[in-house]
Amino acid sequence: MENSAGIGEYWEEYYKNAYPKTDPSLFAKFVLKTYPERKCILDVGCGDGRDSIFFATEGKTVVGIDASESAIKVCKSRAAQMNGSCTFNEATVSKDYFNTLDLGMDFRVSESIIYSRFFLHAVVEEVEDWFLDSAMALLGSGALLCIEFRTVADAELSKVEKDHFRRFISPTTLMNKCLERGMNSLHLRVGRGLAPYGDEDPMIARMVFSGRI
Ligand SMILES: C[S@@+](CC[C@H](N)C(=O)[O-])C[C@H]1O[C@@H](n2cnc3c(N)ncnc32)[C@H](O)[C@@H]1O
């Protein structure tokens, strides 16, 4: 699975068969607690919507996007069963893709978070670069960027999900890419204990950025 199309087909099959996770990630809880004043969340690569639904039940206006049709189907059916503002779109991150994204009338970019958990290591580097370029455009309007991803130090550790495509990322390289684009680093944490999953305790990085002040 070395190209984007192969990755897309993989997730399509995965979400057709996976049992949706109901509990939010620790990262979602951290973001909610740390930035309570932020009212709108754009969840990029939202998967089965576990974190999007959590944010919406906490009163946030949420837009979730994912390339997988089957994942978005799960998200929409979950959203229909809750009282919150949560819309989902099937969309593939591509060059300048935020420019074409309709976030809706209630979504205020200046009060928003671009949230992306376990997405960057699930895509090829070209998609990562498009994502960061698009994110930077929204940071210029006051959004924050909150990302969590698997690091190079996680590569050899055992995994519950053996077949997922993973491009293990150097935190230093990612940090430099963000700073070069004009982002301002607000939070950095690298280590274990942040995303335990079954027998797995991955080596991950959390980063939060604003536009340059
Ligand atoms: C590891 S999952 C993470 C899901 C969710 N954020 C979570 O933490 O459980 C990665 C997600 O990225 C999505 N994805 C992969 N490539 C994508 C792309 N180019 N554009 C949008 N979504 C993509 C996949 O469909 C999958 O749902």
Side-chain angles (χ1 to χ4, degrees), residues 4 7-8 10-12 14-15 21 23 25 27 43-52 65-69 71-72 89-94 97 115-124 127-128 130 148 150 164-166:
S4 300
I7 297 170
Y10 174 80
W11 289 111
E12 199 46 45
Y14 177 78
Y15 286 113
K21 295 184 183 73
D23 53 324
S25 67
F27 187 48
D43 186 356
V44 180
C46 61
D48 62 16
R50 62 187 293 208
D51 289 344
S52 306
I65 75 132
D66 200 283
S68 160
E69 185 186 358
I72 291 297
N89 300 310
E90 183 191 333
T92 300
V93 172
S94 54
Y97 95 109
Y115 175 86
S116 199
R117 175 181 182 271
F118 279 29
F119 167 74
L120 289 179
H121 67 245
V123 296
V124 296
V127 177
E128 171 182 286
W130 290 336
E148 186 176 73
R150 290 183 187 266
H164 287 8
F165 168 81
R166 297 182 180 101

Side-chain angles (χ1 to χ4, degrees), residues 30 34-35 175 184-189 206-209:
F30 161 79
T34 313
Y35 306 103
M175 174 62 73
N184 179 47
S185 172
L186 301 181
H187 176 87
L188 166 66
R189 190 161 166 203
R206 284 180 179 176
M207 296 183 181
V208 178
F209 297 94

